[in-house]
Amino acid sequence: MPLVGEVEISGAKNAAVAIIPAALLVEGVCRIENIPQISDTEMLLTILAELGAKVRFINKSTIEIDCTNARNQDAPYDLMRKIRASYYLIGSMLGRFGSAKTTMPGGCNFGVRPIDQHIKGMTALGATVNVKGGFVYADVAGGRLHGSRIYLDKVSVGATMNIMIAAVLASGRTIIENAAREPHIVDLANFLNSMGADVRGAGTDTIKINGVEKLHGGSYTIIPDQIEAGTYMVAAAATGGEVLVKNIIPKHLECITAKLRETGTIVQEYEDSVLVKGASEIRRVNIKTLPYPGFPTDMQPQMGMLLCLAQGTSIITEGIYDNRFKYVNELRKMGAEIQVDGRIAIIEGGRRLSGALVQACDLRAGAAMVIAGLCATGETVVEDIHYIERGYEDFVGKLNKLGADIRIVDFPEEPAPEKIISVV
Ligand code: UD1
């Protein structure tokens, strides 16, 4: 069924999951607006509260965090293990307390996801870092990191942001070269600067951080989520609908917009929204995922799903991760014809999808399966939707408002309760 109507985009997950741990550096009240209500932010707020932060919800998307009396103590490691972004606590605890004990990060499994560049950065700032028994132990002699010049061997979003967080309260100047340039990196820098930090160059490949003695409280509004917006854009295109995607920054969506236009989808840009109109015939395209401003890997499964409906053969090359095509098996269950060879997927389009029982293999793959369900004949049941809840605020509610027929079903089964999404 074509999706029709308007959808309001929430705050950016990947900005929020760095800004919340970064609030640990601030001795004062941080008021943060546009926090997305997703399980990753909930878990990070719980971790901060366990470290002694006062966390107060002003409304559903505005919080005040006061870390003045936060202490360096054991944190809920079971929660840390579940999320990727818990690695930002290495930077924020080191910066604030001079030592950190965290778990190795969790998150979606796209193959090997090392944190060697994070460790290289912390080490360059003077920390001693050891990984033992699934934990990361880091500490700095004298309790304060010192500025340094760091050249990242890989363009890493996480390492760039983690080093920024750690360096803000270090003595002297830090320079990060070959830095990632995603919008959430600029957002983190803006957040830190509004609390008194001195971070320059975010959004370019060289970021300079002049360490300061202290950060003070302040107010900050998180940018809209580029990937959530892109997901609804693809959903509109795939269902042949017409959706106004609101509360966005069109500039951040440029490469998604360009790719969708290549498929024949009409995208009209306004100041803080885009209107997406699906084409009667979707054209094939090739995609290669790259660091920003290239096409985002986090939009790859959604586009892969869309291209199952396109006329002709499309090729997707995954440029970031070794193993981000697990969702292909699930799409095959619905009638898709896709061959995968390492980091390349060849999609034979023009297939009619039919409803099936499928799994959300990870966060974005889960969203892709739900969109596939919207396009398929019959009922689709998506299992393991806790992945989707990690990064999409009220996905089911927002889709239903656009005319989808979709509901969450709870299965209170043993040993662990299971939740699924049913899409008709
Ligand atoms: C972040 C995002 C994730 C997104 C990814 C790429 C968060 C919480 N997650 O993940 O949604 O898919 O950026 O846009 O913000 N690498 C190393 N060593 C490191 C770090 C990374 O080899 O120390 C490699 C990774 O395995 C990957 C590439 O570098 O191949 C890019 O990873 P990175 O940008 O760091 O991704 P994450 O920060 O984990």
Side-chain angles (χ1 to χ4, degrees):
M1 168 184 310
L3 296 183
V4 176
E6 299 182 356
V7 63
E8 192 85 32
I9 298 306
S10 304
K13 165 187 172 281
N14 286 347
V17 297
I19 286 173
I20 294 170
L24 194 56
L25 300 170
V26 181
E27 291 181 59
V29 178
C30 297
R31 184 185 170 98
I32 310 172
E33 296 184 11
N34 212 21
I35 292 264
Q37 277 190 303
I38 51 176
S39 62
D40 269 19
T41 54
E42 273 167 28
M43 284 193 253
L44 284 164
L45 289 170
T46 306
I47 293 170
L48 272 202
E50 289 285 322
L51 292 172
K54 283 196 193 122
V55 178
R56 195 159 76 95
F57 272 88
I58 307 300
N59 58 45
K60 82 177 180 63
S61 60
T62 305
I63 51 168
E64 283 183 358
I65 305 178
D66 184 354
C67 291
T68 310
N69 296 316
R71 293 169 305 278
N72 194 1
Q73 58 194 19
D74 277 351
Y77 297 116
D78 49 330
L79 289 187
M80 276 192 193
R81 238 176 243 118
K82 286 188 183 154
I83 37 178
R84 183 95 197 132
S86 60
Y87 51 39
Y88 294 126
L89 288 157
I90 306 173
S92 64
M93 291 175 83
L94 259 179
R96 172 79 188 267
F97 306 122
S99 71
K101 179 185 171 191
T102 68
T103 63
M104 281 297 276
C108 296
N109 178 3
F110 312 138
V112 186
R113 294 180 80 180
I115 59 163
D116 57 304
Q117 298 303 305
H118 301 240
I119 295 174
K120 170 177 157 167
M122 301 305 156
T123 307
L125 296 174
T128 304
V129 186
N130 287 301
V131 179
K132 256 191 301 195
F135 286 91
V136 181
Y137 301 86
D139 74 287
V140 55
R144 190 174 185 197
L145 297 165
H146 53 73
S148 182
R149 181 180 282 263
I150 299 147
Y151 188 96
L152 293 176
D153 302 327
K154 275 210 162 179
V155 179
S156 160
V157 171
T160 303
M161 288 164 94
N162 215 354
I163 297 166
M164 264 166 66
I165 291 171
V168 156
L169 293 178
S171 61
R173 170 181 269 210
T174 297
I175 299 177
I176 309 172
E177 284 176 299
N178 199 25
R181 294 179 283 165
E182 270 69 0
H184 29 288
I185 289 174
V186 180
D187 208 40
L188 173 65
N190 289 341
F191 164 78
L192 291 167
N193 287 343
S194 68
M195 305 291 150
D198 182 356
V199 181
R200 299 167 195 206
T204 75
D205 61 6
T206 304
I207 300 177
K208 295 182 180 138
I209 304 137
N210 293 310
V212 296
E213 296 290 328
K214 246 185 163 183
L215 296 186
H216 51 69
S219 245
Y220 192 73
T221 303
I222 291 177
I223 52 166
D225 196 304
Q226 157 208 27
I227 304 300
E228 189 196 13
T231 301
Y232 287 102
M233 291 167 76
V234 168
T239 59
E242 183 168 330
V243 175
L244 184 68
V245 182
K246 292 166 65 174
N247 180 36
I248 54 142
I249 299 173
K251 173 97 190 125
H252 294 168
L253 295 166
E254 266 174 355
C255 62
I256 300 170
T257 298
K259 220 14 109 178
L260 280 175
R261 283 180 177 152
E262 268 184 62
T263 67
T265 305
I266 294 170
V267 184
Q268 285 165 7
E269 291 181 359
Y270 301 99
E271 202 177 304
D272 60 359
S273 60
V274 285
L275 179 66
V276 183
K277 293 186 199 170
S280 52
E281 193 175 290
I282 299 165
R283 291 199 290 262
R284 59 160 294 279
V285 295
N286 294 337
I287 295 175
K288 179 165 186 180
T289 67
L290 289 167
Y292 190 84
F295 192 88
T297 176
D298 286 354
M299 281 301 301
Q300 189 258 95
Q302 302 89 314
M303 283 301 285
M305 183 274 128
L306 174 70
L307 294 175
C308 292
L309 310 177
Q311 291 305 314
T313 306
S314 304
I315 300 175
I316 298 184
T317 308
E318 171 54 48
I320 308 290
Y321 293 113
D322 291 331
N323 189 6
R324 205 171 184 172
F325 285 122
K326 276 184 289 177
Y327 69 94
V328 159
N329 275 334
E330 305 306 305
L331 282 178
R332 283 187 188 130
K333 292 178 191 166
M334 300 179 76
E337 209 180 309
I338 308 174
Q339 302 304 320
V340 174
D341 184 3
R343 285 179 167 218
I344 294 176
I346 300 168
I347 303 172
E348 300 297 341
R351 299 292 179 274
R352 260 192 91 75
L353 300 181
S354 49
L357 172 62
V358 291
Q359 248 185 323
C361 308
D362 59 63
L363 165 58
R364 307 303 170 186
M369 298 320 298
V370 173
I371 302 172
L374 294 172
C375 301
T377 53
E379 186 182 72
T380 298
V381 173
V382 184
E383 289 183 320
D384 286 339
I385 63 162
H386 59 92
Y387 280 115
I388 301 176
E389 291 170 338
R390 285 191 38 218
Y392 288 93
E393 180 177 318
D394 191 21
F395 196 40
V396 167
K398 289 184 186 185
L399 286 170
N400 277 333
K401 277 198 199 116
L402 294 171
D405 181 357
I406 168 168
R407 66 202 160 97
I408 295 184
V409 186
D410 275 303
F411 284 95
E413 276 171 7
E414 294 297 324
E418 175 78 81
K419 257 172 142 188
I420 61 161
I421 283 179
S422 160
V423 195
V424 182

